Amino acid sequence: MASHIILPKEEEEEEVEEGLGVAVEADHDLPEPPRYRHLQPAQKALPFSATCVRISRDSYPNLRALRNASATSLRDDDDAFAKLDEGDYGYVLDDVQHLTDYLPELPTFPNPLQDHPAYSTVKQYFVNADDTVPEKVVVQKNSPRGVHFRRAGPRQRVYFEPEDVKACIVTCGGLCPGLNTVIRELVCGLSHMYNVNDVFGIQNGYKGFYSSNYLRMTPKSVNDIHKRGGTVLGSSRGGHDTHKIVDNIQDRGINQVYIIGGDGTQKGAYEIFKEIRRRGLKVAVAGIPKTIDNDIAVIDKSFGFDTAVEEAQRAIDAAHVEASSAENGIGLVKLMGRYSGFIAMYATLASRDVDCCLIPESLFYLEGEGGLFEYIERRLKENNHMVIVVAEGAGQDLIAKSIPVADQLDASGNKLLLDVGLWLTHKIKDHCKSKKMEMTIKYIDPTYMIRAIPSNASDNVYCTLLAHSAIHGAMAGYSFTVGMVNGRHAYIPFHRVTSTRSKVKITDRMWARLLSSTNQPSFLSKEDIMEAREAERLANRLPVPAGSSEHTKKHSASVLSNGEK
């Protein structure tokens, strides 16, 4: 097949001699080329990724290595969907699902991008079949290479012809800056890059699959939606009925599903994929992770996070102005962060006006030596004002002790949080009153303002790249969650982003930088720090089950050492 890639004659000959071809190697999921069916000793073997096989529960060595290397525990029903492959020097590929895993005879087609005028002159535009992205980028000289993910990007062969593609897009969960940008780029990318004409929007989250009409979307209809906040498709929590959703996908002939949402939404995408596979449908499922809290595992950051931090600073600036304009003024800002305090931490570091940052990962206490009240008194005495930033999930254990309430869950199964900002405001007022201190406190809650704004320039670019990577992967027949890992876009197995949650490490240098910037107490004793370090060590060193072979134990230990920082 002629390639769109133009190389000098000498370079072309050199690559052909090396067996790479003019463009790139064929993808691992292509039907086996005739020249490989009867390998001779002197012939080049298939790329290692071509030998990826499903690991059953009876074949544990690789699975243990992955679990240890990635500090992730798989549920029993995830084992059947794990595609792992080991290479030299401790290499472990944690691969994503592909249509050919259960439909092995599918035909392939030339990628339309090879004839696209915008891409036809790009040298080596197609991603090499064996390109992978490492989960850990910092290693020692003699350490093994560790866990890798399949690199995102266009493949030379695709599994869908453009005229046969019927794609749908759905947004679920809370709002986040950049949702409309991702929707726009999915529609425009499918249309402009792959000439797909049938793209539909699912309205109001998962339940829209079976309770709403599908909304046809074109590049013209989404032309300027990136300038608005929110999502033009609407969103909701809950409403996930796997069988009803897949029934509608099957009845309407949808063969590409793009799902934008947080970890709960990605769990739903995983269940949809499992049902699709059980039915043997030729449908690719692409998840695009979204959470303003930035707590999706594995990926560097989620889209909208930069915008959220930037907007959070406006609230901090306002709190600082209010606090500095009054005698013993306190500005208290509550930011998002149900389980993880990334927005509060980064907004604090960026602002430099914050005197104290409280996050869910770092427990704090109010009274006594080294407590928050003592620090507030000292800070007001020194500066006559102070700014406190608190993440919404911080201090929930303290509130529960003073305001006993029954646990309640929202439609997504998340625990409903009590308002830590309002509670802390009253506690500080009561303390200052008991000490006969004159004090003015202003409480600012910009939560929904931050969620509802359009994405900034850097997030717009990131959203575009995520959407394009998702399209390339779906056209190539993969089902996955897409994200940036160590600066490179990668296709990540669903279970990797849903089995755990990314959190601020209070034993990490970034948290130390924050403590140094604010001069706040850590609220931790030496015993607390040791316990945190031990918990982190155990999380990264899961034991090899009894009865394992010596080879497995040695290999697991070597992979483990690669995961250390």
Side-chain angles (χ1 to χ4, degrees):
M1 182 190 71
S3 170
H4 72 283
I5 296 169
I6 302 171
L7 295 177
K9 184 174 177 55
E10 314 82 71
E11 192 170 346
E12 177 180 336
E13 290 173 352
E14 209 174 318
E15 291 206 0
V16 171
E17 285 175 7
E18 293 176 357
L20 296 178
V22 179
V24 298
E25 297 167 317
D27 273 349
H28 79 284
D29 42 58
L30 297 182
E32 193 175 11
R35 70 174 189 271
Y36 285 129
R37 288 183 180 155
H38 303 286
L39 285 174
Q40 301 298 324
Q43 287 180 290
K44 199 174 189 66
L46 276 170
F48 65 83
S49 59
T51 64
C52 282
V53 294
R54 192 176 77 181
I55 305 298
S56 70
R57 295 185 64 195
D58 298 324
S59 178
Y60 265 120
N62 287 355
L63 195 56
R64 287 185 191 129
L66 174 71
R67 282 172 162 164
N68 289 335
S70 62
T72 297
S73 59
L74 297 180
R75 300 177 305 178
D76 288 345
D77 59 342
D78 289 334
D79 291 350
F81 293 92
K83 287 177 61 180
L84 311 174
D85 189 39
E86 290 184 273
D88 296 334
Y89 313 112
Y91 181 105
V92 178
L93 173 64
D94 193 1
D95 208 355
V96 293
Q97 294 290 314
H98 192 270
L99 290 173
T100 54
D101 294 336
Y102 59 97
L103 298 171
E105 303 301 323
L106 287 179
T108 63
F109 313 97
N111 193 321
L113 286 176
Q114 68 181 10
D115 300 317
H116 196 292
Y119 300 101
S120 59
T121 58
V122 177
K123 181 179 177 182
Q124 293 185 343
Y125 181 70
F126 292 134
V127 171
N128 190 291
D130 282 345
D131 281 358
T132 58
V133 178
E135 183 178 21
K136 300 291 184 183
V137 72
V138 178
V139 296
Q140 285 74 47
K141 181 172 64 175
N142 298 318
S143 61
R145 294 167 63 189
V147 175
H148 287 228
F149 302 108
R150 188 164 293 280
R151 183 184 176 192
R155 267 56 184 172
Q156 193 168 11
R157 306 285 293 182
V158 295
Y159 282 78
F160 297 94
E161 290 196 278
E163 58 269 22
D164 296 332
V165 173
K166 290 187 73 174
C168 69
I169 305 167
V170 64
T171 55
C172 305
L175 297 183
C176 177
L179 280 170
N180 280 334
T181 306
V182 174
I183 294 169
R184 181 189 189 277
E185 295 310 317
L186 285 172
V187 175
C188 293
L190 283 164
S191 177
H192 297 155
M193 292 191 298
Y194 286 98
N195 304 314
V196 173
N197 295 319
D198 293 326
V199 184
F200 301 91
I202 310 300
Q203 296 176 294
N204 303 318
Y206 275 134
K207 65 182 180 183
F209 276 98
Y210 51 85
S211 65
S212 303
N213 290 324
Y214 285 23
L215 177 67
R216 181 175 286 276
M217 307 186 80
T218 64
K220 185 176 181 180
S221 70
V222 299
N223 182 52
D224 62 351
I225 64 172
H226 62 291
K227 298 176 183 178
R228 288 179 265 160
T231 164
V232 294
L233 293 178
S235 185
S236 67
R237 298 188 185 276
H240 187 276
D241 187 319
T242 305
H243 290 283
K244 283 186 178 181
I245 291 171
V246 179
D247 284 344
N248 272 266
I249 289 172
Q250 189 171 1
D251 292 343
R252 293 176 181 266
I254 299 295
N255 50 24
Q256 290 185 14
V257 183
Y258 296 92
I259 300 174
I260 310 168
D263 59 338
T265 301
Q266 299 306 312
K267 288 176 183 176
Y270 191 20
E271 294 305 316
I272 291 171
F273 164 74
K274 289 178 181 178
E275 182 61 24
I276 285 171
R277 176 165 174 160
R278 287 188 196 102
R279 300 188 189 188
L281 305 179
K282 185 187 175 183
V283 180
V285 180
I288 302 175
K290 175 254 359 162
T291 170
I292 203 165
D293 294 346
N294 197 37
D295 60 357
I296 296 289
V298 180
I299 66 174
D300 294 350
K301 66 177 179 180
S302 53
F303 71 83
F305 178 69
D306 284 350
T307 306
V309 171
E310 187 176 301
E311 189 67 13
Q313 283 187 82
R314 300 179 190 273
I316 293 173
D317 290 344
H320 182 254
V321 170
E322 289 284 353
S324 59
S325 300
E327 184 180 1
N328 285 342
I330 299 176
L332 178 61
V333 181
K334 186 183 79 171
L335 298 176
M336 285 146 297
R338 176 181 292 273
Y339 303 108
S340 306
F342 287 105
I343 290 182
M345 180 174 73
Y346 277 85
T348 294
L349 282 168
S351 170
R352 300 289 174 174
D353 286 329
V354 179
D355 298 282
C356 185
C357 177
L358 306 172
I359 61 173
E361 296 88 338
S362 180
L363 301 179
F364 66 95
Y365 54 96
L366 301 178
E367 300 174 348
E369 185 179 352
L372 179 61
F373 289 158
E374 181 186 77
Y375 176 62
I376 289 173
E377 290 178 30
R378 186 170 76 247
R379 205 65 175 164
L380 291 178
K381 186 176 180 179
E382 293 171 351
N383 291 348
N384 199 39
H385 71 274
M386 73 177 298
V387 175
I388 301 172
V389 168
V390 58
E392 61 181 329
Q396 292 296 312
D397 56 331
L398 294 177
I399 307 175
K401 291 177 183 177
S402 59
I403 311 175
V405 292
D407 289 346
Q408 297 181 22
L409 305 178
D410 64 17
S412 296
N414 298 314
K415 182 180 177 181
L416 291 176
L417 301 178
L418 298 170
D419 191 336
V420 63
L422 195 58
W423 174 81
L424 199 54
T425 299
H426 289 301
K427 285 291 183 181
I428 293 173
K429 283 182 178 177
D430 291 343
H431 174 76
C432 291
K433 186 177 181 180
S434 68
K435 293 286 186 176
K436 294 183 170 49
M437 287 176 57
E438 290 292 331
M439 180 271 303
T440 301
I441 187 167
K442 294 292 188 292
Y443 173 42
I444 299 175
D445 181 358
T447 301
Y448 295 104
M449 293 176 62
I450 291 173
R451 295 192 341 167
I453 64 173
S455 53
N456 64 13
S458 65
D459 270 327
N460 271 335
V461 174
Y462 187 31
C463 289
T464 301
L465 297 179
L466 284 174
H468 287 189
S469 294
I471 293 169
H472 296 317
M475 290 296 296
Y478 294 107
S479 289
F480 55 87
T481 293
V482 67
M484 189 164 62
V485 181
N486 294 319
R488 294 285 184 176
H489 289 256
Y491 299 138
I492 307 163
F494 287 114
H495 64 261
R496 288 302 308 276
V497 298
T498 59
S499 58
T500 187
R501 187 176 274 116
S502 181
K503 293 188 175 184
V504 174
K505 294 180 180 178
I506 58 173
T507 56
D508 192 57
R509 284 194 295 270
M510 187 60 78
W511 185 244
R513 293 184 184 107
L514 181 140
L515 296 179
S516 175
S517 170
T518 61
N519 291 316
Q520 71 185 66
S522 69
F523 302 110
L524 294 173
S525 65
K526 290 183 179 179
E527 291 75 16
D528 293 328
I529 295 173
M530 293 304 294
E531 285 180 10
R533 287 177 177 168
E534 180 64 12
E536 185 177 344
R537 186 189 71 80
L538 291 174
N540 286 290
R541 286 179 173 271
L542 298 179
V544 178
S548 303
S549 65
E550 284 301 312
H551 169 76
T552 300
K553 291 179 180 178
K554 288 178 181 178
H555 177 77
S556 297
S558 66
V559 178
L560 275 170
S561 65
N562 187 41
E564 292 182 337
K565 290 191 174 183

